[in-house]
Amino acid sequence: MAGSESVQERLDHFVEAITDSMNVKVSSIYLLRDGDELELSATQGLKRSAVHKTRMKKGEGLVGHVALTARPLNLDDAPSHPLFSYRPETGEDPFKSFLGVPILRGGRTLGVLVVQSRDARRFDEDEVEDMLTVAMVLAEIIVDDERLGGKKAKLKGISLKPTKPETIKGKAFADGLVHGHAYLHLPPVPPANLLSDNIAAEEARLEVGISVLRASVDAMVSGEAASISRASKDIYESYRMFAYDRKWVGRLREAVHSGLTAEAAVERVRNEHRARLMKARDPYLRARLHDLEDLANRLIRALMGENISIGNKNISDDAIIFARDIGPAELLDYDRDKLLGLVLEEGAASSHTAIICQAIGIPLIGRADGVLDHIETGDAVLLDGETGFVHIRPLETQVSAFQMRMNIRGEMTRAYDAIRLQRAVTKDGRKISLQLNAGLLVDLPQIELSGADGIGLFRTEFQFMVSEFMPKLAEQTELYRQALEAAGDRPVTFRTLDLGGDKILPYMDPVPEENPAIGWRAIRIALDRPGLMRYQLRALIAAGAKRNLRVMFPMVATVDEFVEARALFDIEVKRASKLGQDLPHKIEIGVMLETPSLAWQINAICDHADFVSVGANDLMQFFFAADRDNARVADRYDPLHPAALSIMKFISDGCRKNGKSAAVCGAMASRPLEAITLIALGYDSLSMPVTGIGPVKSAVLALDAEKLRARIAPLITLQSRLSTVRDEVKAFCMEEGVPI
């Protein structure tokens, strides 16, 4: 191909060469226009008049299906396939066989390469592999030609490199605002050679690779990232356990001994783990799968002779990493001083990567579907770790507005720091306790840094979830003791294990359920398996020796469940006393009210519980029958709907009448507008993530709670016809100067 050829001429020659080499009648290239629409851009065998005229959406027809799934499609009778879409202008009537492979570059789908033949036959594995290789070469040619050839080289309106500003919505897993440039994180290419002619040589290569891998993991455990917190150290310790696991290494050695190359052996063992873990619906188990993927990727890179030492990647000083997913070990490939943020197409809030990012202060957005189709290394990026938005190639106006937010955030941080030691007291004299949600040692320093009044929700299951094996009694006791010591004289409320639903332990077999959020979870598991509950209660009692101990049970639906759980606690107190152990000075046993059924038993539960803490996240999802993890319905209903506020008021009134304290945990308590509304309804204690303490305290200090109560009380009666009181509360804040 001559260097003076245009992109179109090169594509035309390309399909001619493919037709000859593959011995087929048709070879066609479809390219994406601005990432949305596929256009027939070159063909040998179909009608040339259809070029640049035949178009289809992602997911439309067989070609659209390949683009949507980014996977090959191999059919011996394409017209009989339910997704087949007939385009008469192409003249493809006589062709039966169809093989389509995605044209991928840097995780982005650029288009689809298709071959067709008249006879009904399925292409063999070697032919599919050849097509994938050709598509990979084609991706580089068309992108490079466009960039080097200027406007004359562009394909009739098709832009292979995304250029327009775009905004992608994901989930904010670690907070922060950053402005930087994209860097695409690419996993190693799967091995091309699967079989080995020299088994002994491959066995030797595998042993060298394992040694290099173990050395790099040892460096992680002893390095800076692992020293930040016990949580991060535990995570990298679990990597070391995998790297030194005899069964894992044994399976690798068996695979190589059977005649596979070392790289192919890693792929086989990886696929075995993948098949087992992909059966689990639980997001945490999926996150464990990515930990194993991370380790396998590092071993393949070591086998290929790549540098896998910490900080080995060459990135810009303001890099924002984009990846399908990334493990905490891969995260250490990047210089922490240069890494500003992380954007993932997949990911999970409970993943080890999310925990590490939170610990080291790197904003992380996950579940940004399709983001890799819209980004290239070097693109300017605004990462909004508050809302979950990623702004790619932003306009100057967007950059200016974002920079203003960053500046305001800095000013607000300084303002919140100025009131850090000030008590949250409303203008009409009500003392409000603002407490933290926590669950790991990394959270504990935030008590002092934020000026929180204590820990209103300590999620004890996190320790179980980040560990490869069930924590021993001494380990549980030590974690709870450290939480109490960090809080000093301030209260710590421990929630017993809230497992099940989306939280399954890696060392327990998951129980398949159609509706896990309302299935066998939390208190239901604890009462059916009391040994696990009593083991944890034993650790809590030991940790609380000579201190005040507050414990609450989650997901209680009936009073009888709470009574039964409290009886287990009493048994453990008697046991400790009989053994001569020191007991807590004061014990308070409460309930986390998360079900509407228990809300209507508020008087009865107050007969048995020392305090009530409303788990607003679950209560609202059950109240509105809207899954809070389903993006289509999670934000459909407003927690400031009169019906929702009426049940919150009913709970608060019931607790006050029975002389019991009532608190609120969750997202609702962390947003200033919702927080002051809860205070107006009678709640004096709110527990939230650390980022909510400053904004909520600032609002509380400017609030006349009684005045707001009088304003909204008539709006949340049975006679209310409003769909929300949000606008009314906003108007009140504007009038009264309450910052929201």
Side-chain angles (χ1 to χ4, degrees), residues 370-631:
V371 72
L372 295 181
D373 289 337
H374 303 270
I375 192 75
E376 284 225 346
T377 294
D379 283 343
V381 176
L382 305 177
L383 188 160
D384 190 338
E386 293 180 350
T387 64
F389 283 105
V390 185
H391 304 284
I392 300 169
R393 298 173 295 278
L395 298 169
E396 282 300 321
T397 53
Q398 289 178 300
V399 174
S400 298
F402 195 81
Q403 188 62 51
M404 186 178 296
R405 282 186 59 204
M406 292 176 68
N407 293 339
I408 291 173
R409 182 182 171 101
E411 292 173 5
M412 292 176 68
T413 299
R414 289 188 288 274
Y416 299 150
D417 188 60
I419 61 172
R420 181 173 62 89
L421 301 180
Q422 190 173 343
R423 286 297 308 272
V425 181
T426 65
K427 289 171 66 176
D428 53 334
R430 280 181 54 191
K431 296 179 180 179
I432 309 300
S433 179
L434 303 182
Q435 302 189 33
L436 283 180
N437 296 339
L440 292 166
L441 293 180
V442 68
D443 301 319
L444 299 182
Q446 302 295 343
I447 303 175
E448 292 291 345
L449 295 175
S450 66
D453 297 315
I455 298 176
L457 170 62
F458 193 95
R459 300 181 176 99
T460 59
E461 64 273 5
F462 281 6
Q463 182 191 27
F464 287 70
M465 293 169 66
V466 300
S467 177
E468 192 61 26
F469 304 99
M470 190 174 84
K472 296 178 181 179
L473 182 66
E475 294 172 334
Q476 293 182 50
T477 302
E478 180 60 21
L479 174 64
Y480 307 149
R481 182 180 290 120
Q482 289 191 45
L484 290 166
E485 289 175 352
D489 295 333
R490 289 162 290 199
V492 178
T493 303
F494 295 98
R495 183 180 70 184
T496 59
L497 292 176
D498 185 4
L499 299 174
D502 61 349
K503 298 189 282 280
I504 302 296
L505 302 182
Y507 40 86
M508 291 178 64
D509 293 330
V511 178
E513 293 183 293
E514 289 297 323
N515 296 295
I518 54 175
W520 195 55
R521 57 172 286 204
I523 197 70
R524 297 165 183 174
I525 295 177
L527 295 178
D528 289 351
R529 301 286 187 270
L532 182 62
M533 163 79 90
R534 290 184 60 182
Y535 198 64
Q536 182 184 29
L537 295 178
R538 193 171 297 175
L540 285 165
I541 292 167
K546 298 182 179 181
R547 295 185 175 95
N548 295 338
L549 179 64
R550 287 170 59 89
V551 176
M552 64 180 172
F553 300 115
M555 197 60 188
V556 176
T558 67
V559 175
D560 289 344
E561 287 178 335
F562 179 83
V563 171
E564 188 176 349
R566 182 155 192 165
L568 292 177
F569 189 93
D570 292 340
I571 290 173
E572 288 304 316
V573 171
K574 291 178 181 176
R575 175 187 176 278
S577 178
K578 189 174 182 179
L579 292 174
Q581 297 176 1
D582 291 328
L583 298 178
H585 289 314
K586 180 182 180 182
I587 295 175
E588 294 177 280
I589 307 299
V591 64
M592 195 165 191
L593 197 157
E594 301 169 271
T595 62
S597 63
L598 194 65
W600 303 121
Q601 302 174 75
I602 190 63
N603 292 322
I605 195 65
C606 283
D607 290 340
H608 302 277
D610 298 320
F611 62 90
V612 173
S613 183
V614 179
N617 292 347
D618 268 334
L619 181 61
M620 288 297 110
Q621 84 163 337
F622 298 145
F623 186 77
F624 286 115
D627 182 359
R628 59 190 172 101
D629 291 323
N630 184 331

Side-chain angles (χ1 to χ4, degrees), residues 96-140:
K96 290 281 190 179
S97 298
F98 174 97
L99 172 59
V101 299
I103 303 171
L104 303 172
R105 187 179 186 279
R108 275 195 310 122
T109 301
L110 299 180
V112 178
L113 176 62
V114 175
V115 293
Q116 296 170 271
S117 62
R118 291 178 182 271
D119 55 320
R121 74 179 182 93
R122 186 177 291 270
F123 294 90
D124 62 36
E125 290 184 8
D126 288 340
E127 290 173 310
V128 175
E129 286 295 327
D130 288 344
M131 280 282 283
L132 287 169
T133 302
V134 170
M136 185 169 60
V137 174
L138 178 58
E140 295 300 323

